[in-house]
């Protein structure tokens, strides 16, 4: 159906790690107990996310199985007809938990140095790339900072790892921030994360996508036209307005050849 509407289908591959087994926002808070259908979460170290249950530290065999699980998921996505995959390594999910020294206290080959903390992400990217082949785009979503610099995950580390991701087979970095730690104050404003996408694009020589309170067509166009990012990704504005692309096209004076038949009477008049 997505293809029949002239669009491209992408899917995000993610593992929540210590942020898994939680209630829906509207049904409760914190971790769901085993007695209620929850499960014991896993993480690089037995360090809990604030207000959640303590996870189990992954073993070497567990980590190998995780890489295989991501590979298999990418294969299922390809076979189902998706056109691209995105590996989620942001927002305090499992791969981000390995990257950040605030959640990764390991002393083996997956902890300590930046190279060790990035090992799992790079293994996953290589496995996904090998599975889907060279023709299918592979994006990686990363949090540029934990917002507790210099002690947590930082922009400088993200720039370095983004270049490694590119070498491992990633095509673009979807740049967000935060999510690893609760209670961190993030100074938000329209386009507040665009400078991160710009910095990573320049430092790592990798295409980036910008996110974060991008709600206006002219705002989005300026970000791309100015070269601060190669694309903008929009989420919450779609929740408010599912027809945002049609509205944005009209605002920018672009004549799209797509309108659902049942909405054609609602088209804006040509000026």
């Amino acid at each position: 159906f997505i293809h029949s509407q002239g669009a491209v289908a992408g899917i995000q591959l993610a593992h929540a790690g210590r942020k898994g087994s939680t209630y829906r926002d509207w049904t409760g808070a914190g971790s769901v107990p085993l007695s209620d259908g929850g499960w014991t979460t896993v993480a690089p170290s037995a360090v809990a996310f604030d207000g959640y249950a303590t996870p189990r530290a992954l073993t070497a065999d567990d980590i190998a199985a995780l890489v295989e699980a991501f590979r298999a998921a990418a294969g299922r996505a390809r076979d189902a007809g998706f056109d691209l995959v995105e590996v989620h390594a942001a927002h305090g999910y499992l791969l981000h938990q390995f990257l950040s020294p605030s959640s990764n206290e390991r002393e083996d080959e997956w902890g300590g140095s930046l190279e060790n903390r990035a090992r799992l992400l790079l293994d996953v990217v290589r496995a996904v790339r090998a599975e889907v082949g060279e023709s299918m785009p592979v994006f990686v979503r990363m949090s540029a900072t934990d917002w507790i610099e210099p002690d947590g995950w930082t922009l400088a580390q993200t720039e370095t790892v983004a270049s490694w991701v590119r070498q491992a087979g990633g095509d673009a970095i979807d740049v967000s921030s935060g999510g690893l730690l609760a209670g961190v104050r993030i100074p938000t404003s329209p386009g507040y994360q665009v400078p991160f996408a710009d910095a990573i694009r320049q430092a790592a020589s990798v295409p980036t996508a910008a996110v974060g309170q991008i709600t206006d067509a002219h705002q989005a166009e300026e970000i791309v036209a100015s070269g601060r990012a190669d694309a903008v990704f929009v989420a919450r504005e779609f929740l408010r307005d599912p027809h945002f692309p049609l509205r944005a096209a009209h605002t920018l004076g672009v004549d799209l050849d797509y309108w659902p038949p049942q909405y054609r009477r609602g088209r804006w008049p040509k000026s």
Side-chain angles (χ1 to χ4, degrees):
F1 174 78
I2 293 172
H3 289 153
S4 75
Q5 303 304 299
V8 171
I11 190 169
Q12 198 173 71
L13 308 179
H15 190 307
R18 69 181 188 174
K19 295 181 81 173
S21 189
T22 59
Y23 289 100
R24 299 175 182 88
D25 283 346
W26 55 93
T27 62
S31 299
V32 178
L34 300 180
S35 58
D36 251 359
W39 62 90
T40 300
T41 59
V42 295
S45 305
V47 179
F49 184 76
D50 189 35
Y52 289 16
T54 300
R56 175 180 65 80
L58 290 159
T59 67
D61 288 343
D62 292 332
I63 292 171
L66 275 169
V67 176
E68 171 60 21
F70 271 99
R71 183 205 62 74
R76 290 193 296 272
R78 176 204 58 222
D79 295 345
F82 286 96
D83 302 291
L84 66 90
V85 294
E86 178 174 85
V87 175
H88 200 328
H91 298 167
Y93 289 169
L94 183 65
L95 297 178
H96 184 186
Q97 292 162 29
F98 269 87
L99 291 171
S100 178
S102 296
S103 49
N104 185 344
E105 299 180 349
R106 301 179 74 100
E107 298 180 351
D108 59 7
E109 60 189 300
W110 293 281
S113 68
L114 181 59
E115 291 84 354
N116 284 356
R117 286 183 278 120
R119 189 183 306 277
L120 176 57
L121 171 60
L122 299 178
D123 284 349
V124 166
V125 172
R126 282 189 284 264
V128 168
R129 169 56 70 204
E131 179 65 26
V132 302
E134 293 301 319
S135 61
M136 188 173 187
V138 175
F139 294 175
V140 176
R141 183 158 227 201
M142 298 184 70
S143 282
T145 175
D146 287 339
W147 292 99
I148 55 166
E149 297 198 27
D151 298 323
W153 180 249
T154 66
L155 175 59
Q157 293 176 83
T158 307
E159 291 170 351
T160 298
V161 174
S163 69
W164 296 344
V165 165
R166 181 71 157 156
Q167 296 166 19
D171 293 299
I173 306 296
D174 171 8
V175 185
S176 188
S177 69
L180 185 85
L181 303 169
V184 176
R185 292 191 56 134
I186 299 177
T188 64
S189 61
Y192 71 102
Q193 298 184 129
V194 174
F196 297 141
D198 189 7
I200 293 165
R201 184 176 188 267
Q202 301 302 323
S205 299
V206 60
T208 61
V211 305
Q213 295 188 26
I214 300 171
T215 60
D216 176 81
H218 290 294
Q219 174 197 18
E221 176 67 12
E222 187 279 331
I223 292 168
V224 175
S226 66
R228 291 189 288 163
D230 298 275
V232 295
F233 287 175
V234 178
R236 295 184 192 185
E237 192 61 24
F238 275 100
L239 299 178
R240 291 183 283 264
D241 178 8
H243 302 297
F244 176 70
L246 302 179
R247 185 183 303 278
H250 170 72
T251 300
L252 296 173
V254 176
D255 186 21
L256 294 179
D257 61 2
Y258 170 82
W259 268 76
Q262 63 269 41
Y263 291 111
R264 284 176 183 158
R265 289 192 179 189
R267 295 183 72 163
W268 288 275
K270 293 185 178 179
S271 56

